[in-house]
Amino acid sequence: MSPRQPEPLPEGAKPRPAPVPDSDSEAFWAASCRDCLVVQHCTSCDHRQLYGRSRCTNCHASTLEWIDASGLGTVYSRTVIRQNPSRSFRHLLPLVVALVDLDEGPRLMTNVVGRDPDDVVIGARVRVRFEQVSEQAALPLFELEP
């Protein structure tokens, strides 16, 4: 399956920087290209973590597997970026940068998109969506739940 094409950019804009998958994160980014959010699960202690690592951050075991996540979470914290000189971000302003607690446990830094920044409040429920940024990766972004 070939990845979907990135959305067209405004004139003069550059695409967001794309992550470069490594051996610990390759499964995460491959899943993102299929619009699937995954987290690592330690089969020794039942801990769940993001981003991919070779060992569990709780018990240090190497018994890790990737499992599907629901893609649902809660805004833990957020800030709004209103100025950015980079052509990779200028067209996205204002940009909500948030820490989202996934229902599965891990917390990740992301953007909340598709709504007025003032609508994004701590405690708001969000759902993942993906933005293709390269052939190897799509960024997990979040939208407010209706």
Side-chain angles (χ1 to χ4, degrees):
M1 176 168 116
S2 63
R4 57 190 181 280
Q5 295 301 311
E7 293 182 25
L9 297 171
E11 188 175 333
K14 291 176 61 177
R16 290 182 193 241
V20 177
D22 61 19
S23 61
D24 291 332
S25 68
E26 184 176 29
F28 177 86
W29 295 116
S32 75
C33 289
R34 298 186 311 273
D35 291 341
C36 184
L37 184 64
V38 294
V39 297
Q40 274 188 323
H41 171 248
C42 177
T43 60
S44 294
C45 72
D46 201 34
H47 178 70
R48 293 175 182 175
Q49 64 190 27
L50 268 182
Y51 287 96
R53 298 171 178 91
S54 60
R55 298 210 169 261
C56 174
T57 58
N58 186 55
C59 74
H60 308 292
S62 59
T63 54
L64 297 167
E65 63 183 3
W66 289 98
I67 61 171
D68 289 346
S70 66
L72 300 173
T74 304
V75 175
Y76 173 80
S77 180
R78 53 72 117 190
T79 190
V80 179
I81 297 174
R82 298 188 187 277
Q83 296 181 2
N84 191 318
S86 169
R87 290 188 307 157
S88 297
F89 295 98
R90 199 177 322 155
H91 65 286
L92 301 171
L93 299 176
L95 182 64
V96 178
V97 177
L99 294 176
V100 170
D101 288 339
L102 297 177
D103 287 356
E104 291 74 22
R107 177 178 293 160
L108 73 148
M109 184 180 291
T110 184
N111 297 136
V112 179
V113 297
R115 291 285 284 277
D116 184 290
D118 293 335
D119 293 341
V120 182
V121 297
I122 292 171
R125 294 289 294 163
V126 290
R127 174 181 301 276
V128 75
R129 76 170 198 60
F130 293 89
E131 179 182 315
Q132 195 77 37
V133 291
S134 73
E135 288 188 15
Q136 297 88 17
L139 295 179
L141 307 174
F142 284 78
E143 297 175 323
L144 292 175
E145 283 267 82

